[in-house]
Amino acid sequence: MKKPVPVVITIDGPSGSGKGTLSQMLARHLGYHLLDSGALYRLVALAAIKKNIDLSNELAVTQVAMGLDVKFSLDESESARILLEGVEVTDAIRAESVSMGASQIAAYPEVRAALLERQRAFAIAPGLVADGRDMGTTVFPEAQTKLFLTASAEARAERRCKQLLAKGISVDIAELIKDIRERDQRDSTRVVSPLKPADSAIIIDSTTMSIEEVFSRMLAAIN
Ligand code: DC
């Protein structure tokens, strides 16, 4: 019997574009698997930091990426849980320091190469929703549907600010906008797999849209 070919839907875009939430919603709606590729880069950064490795040491960070011991699972309420070497790091990988570290090490070609097969292994039947920056361009160039979500830096900073406030953390919005622009610049100008829409990607700008509006636009694109 022929093995069924899993459907792959790629969702790329900058951080704060709503990708994470929308990818989860879509995977649940379709009953597909979910790949949060950003989490892998975050895990490499966190693992290296924990091992006291200098993040500018590309070779050492690549070795961390190659040997990454990570487990993705779902808890009783179907929320994602991430274990690094057996230790829960679901929240720890979201820290601002890890975000910055992830952006730094994601620019290393050898680190990206080390994570390639690990990401492709997520494409199993019935299908996969792959969330990242280069899902449609590099990791799954054959994907059936490619989406690219974006929003202005201001709108993304505002969303992040609200998320942080909900956790009781107050932040300077101007600082956030500056950080977001800095990260965008680094992610979209790096030599390997820069952040950019695939040629056939459907671009959705969510600046003035609600999550529900974006979700129905995505469903329309898939259908
Ligand atoms: O989506 P995120 O914020 O969790 O991603 C963390 C970092 O990893 C971000 O700086 C971009 C980088 N990244 C990447 O280079 N390629 C991906 N496919 C996913 C994330």
Side-chain angles (χ1 to χ4, degrees), residues 12 41 56 63 73 91 97 133 148 150-151 157 184 189 211 215:
D12 290 304
Y41 290 94
S56 61
Q63 278 161 354
S73 60
D91 293 328
S97 57
R133 303 291 191 287
F148 191 87
T150 184
D184 281 358
T189 55
I211 288 274
F215 189 59

Side-chain angles (χ1 to χ4, degrees), residues 100 152-161 171-185:
M100 280 299 176
S152 70
E154 289 77 7
R156 289 186 281 139
E158 227 162 84
R159 288 172 193 167
R160 180 82 185 128
C161 197
V171 279
D172 177 355
I173 186 112
E175 268 304 299
L176 264 185
I177 295 175
K178 190 173 143 269
D179 284 355
I180 285 177
R181 291 220 168 99
E182 225 176 87
R183 208 176 317 158
D184 281 358
Q185 170 75 7

Side-chain angles (χ1 to χ4, degrees), residues 127-169:
L128 174 72
V129 174
D131 162 359
R133 303 291 191 287
D134 61 340
M135 299 295 98
T137 51
T138 308
V139 182
F140 301 107
E142 312 292 335
Q144 287 84 344
T145 307
K146 299 181 183 182
L147 304 172
F148 191 87
L149 287 191
T150 184
S152 70
E154 289 77 7
R156 289 186 281 139
E158 227 162 84
R159 288 172 193 167
R160 180 82 185 128
C161 197
K162 274 192 195 145
Q163 279 174 351
L164 291 172
L165 274 179
K167 289 188 194 165
I169 307 167

